Amino acid sequence: MKFMKPLFDQKSHLYLLDAGCGEGTHLSHIQDKLTWKGITELTSVGMDLSKEGIMAAAKEYPHPLWCVADLAHCPFSNQQFDGVLNILSPSNYAEFTRILSEDGCVLKVIPEQYYLRELRCLYEQKKNTPAYSNDNILSRFKDHFKLLSAERVTYRFMLNADLLKPLLHMTPLSWGATEADWQRVQEINLPYVTVDLLILCGKK
């Protein structure tokens, strides 16, 4: 994790929070990656409002610490974390600023224009909604943090029929979906979806 490198040059122990961690996959993989790189002095914490997600994370990934909590009321001390991850999840920048150390970093991952385009096109056509733009999200991030870097990552993820419904449930595209909508999507038999993300790194 190159955005953390300056922190390890300054500190012997890092504290990392994944705000909106879901079922814990991202945080666990990041911790494993850092450990593989020889970084052992690390305390990682995953936080999410979903009890089911936290229970799944704790069962599958025993090494990080997991807690059920609201982003608007983070149960942590001021300046407790050196890094805050916020991956495809809502943000509370006031709380992030409070719990982030003075030289810490926020890493936020947001969708780009072609994220899940194969599914989004169906949704936008049905609802007659405009094409997706992350301009407001990016602008709000820069209002609260000094932008250090912005890196776009785009690739195709191969799907099978068993993955499509869980994927939809993880996105706002499922909100308000009818049984007919689910049936229509399953009949499409998509071979892949596009992953298109913007990774923002910022400091106070």
Side-chain angles (χ1 to χ4, degrees), residues 1 3 9 16 30 78 91 95-96 101 106 126 165 171:
M1 297 298 291
F3 88 100
D9 292 340
L16 180 65
I30 289 170
N78 295 346
S91 303
E95 281 292 83
F96 290 176
S101 64
V106 174
K126 179 187 175 187
K165 194 165 186 177
T171 75

Side-chain angles (χ1 to χ4, degrees), residues 10 28 40 55 66 72 82 84 113-114 119 121 123 144 166-167 177:
Q10 302 171 32
S28 179
T40 58
M55 288 176 64
W66 307 103
D82 304 297
V84 174
Q113 181 180 1
Y114 300 120
L119 298 173
C121 286
Y123 178 84
H144 289 82
L167 171 65

Side-chain angles (χ1 to χ4, degrees), residues 39-114:
I39 299 167
T40 58
E41 297 299 317
L42 171 68
T43 298
S44 57
V45 180
M47 178 183 75
D48 201 283
L49 191 59
S50 168
K51 293 181 180 179
E52 293 79 7
I54 292 298
M55 288 176 64
K59 183 177 180 179
E60 185 70 21
Y61 308 111
H63 297 299
L65 304 174
W66 307 103
C67 68
V68 178
D70 188 346
L71 280 176
H73 305 285
C74 297
F76 306 113
S77 302
N78 295 346
Q79 301 187 23
Q80 186 167 355
F81 291 97
D82 304 297
V84 174
L85 307 175
N86 189 231
I87 303 172
L88 298 174
S89 177
S91 303
N92 188 300
Y93 291 136
E95 281 292 83
F96 290 176
T97 300
R98 180 184 68 80
I99 65 177
L100 191 66
S101 64
E102 285 302 319
D103 55 355
C105 296
V106 174
L107 187 75
K108 182 169 180 65
V109 180
I110 62 176
E112 262 289 2
Q113 181 180 1
Y114 300 120

Side-chain angles (χ1 to χ4, degrees), residues 48-196:
D48 201 283
L49 191 59
S50 168
K51 293 181 180 179
E52 293 79 7
I54 292 298
M55 288 176 64
K59 183 177 180 179
E60 185 70 21
Y61 308 111
H63 297 299
L65 304 174
W66 307 103
C67 68
V68 178
D70 188 346
L71 280 176
H73 305 285
C74 297
F76 306 113
S77 302
N78 295 346
Q79 301 187 23
Q80 186 167 355
F81 291 97
D82 304 297
V84 174
L85 307 175
N86 189 231
I87 303 172
L88 298 174
S89 177
S91 303
N92 188 300
Y93 291 136
E95 281 292 83
F96 290 176
T97 300
R98 180 184 68 80
I99 65 177
L100 191 66
S101 64
E102 285 302 319
D103 55 355
C105 296
V106 174
L107 187 75
K108 182 169 180 65
V109 180
I110 62 176
E112 262 289 2
Q113 181 180 1
Y114 300 120
Y115 181 67
L116 301 183
R117 64 187 302 182
E118 298 79 9
L119 298 173
R120 195 183 298 276
C121 286
L122 297 173
Y123 178 84
E124 289 168 353
Q125 289 171 5
K126 179 187 175 187
K127 303 294 184 180
N128 195 27
T129 57
Y132 173 79
S133 171
N134 62 19
D135 290 347
N136 289 337
I137 302 174
L138 179 58
S139 177
R140 187 163 176 262
F141 184 87
K142 292 194 289 188
D143 285 342
H144 289 82
F145 300 101
K146 177 183 177 181
L147 184 63
L148 300 178
S149 65
E151 180 177 348
R152 188 170 182 174
V153 177
T154 305
Y155 60 94
R156 286 178 173 177
F157 184 82
M158 305 309 295
L159 283 177
N160 60 49
D162 294 336
L163 291 177
L164 184 56
K165 194 165 186 177
L167 171 65
L168 280 170
H169 274 299
M170 292 174 61
T171 75
L173 298 177
S174 66
W175 298 350
T178 66
E179 190 59 38
D181 293 332
W182 286 113
Q183 186 64 32
R184 184 163 60 98
V185 169
Q186 289 182 320
E187 290 173 353
I188 295 171
N189 192 29
L190 288 175
Y192 61 82
V193 290
T194 300
V195 178
D196 188 16

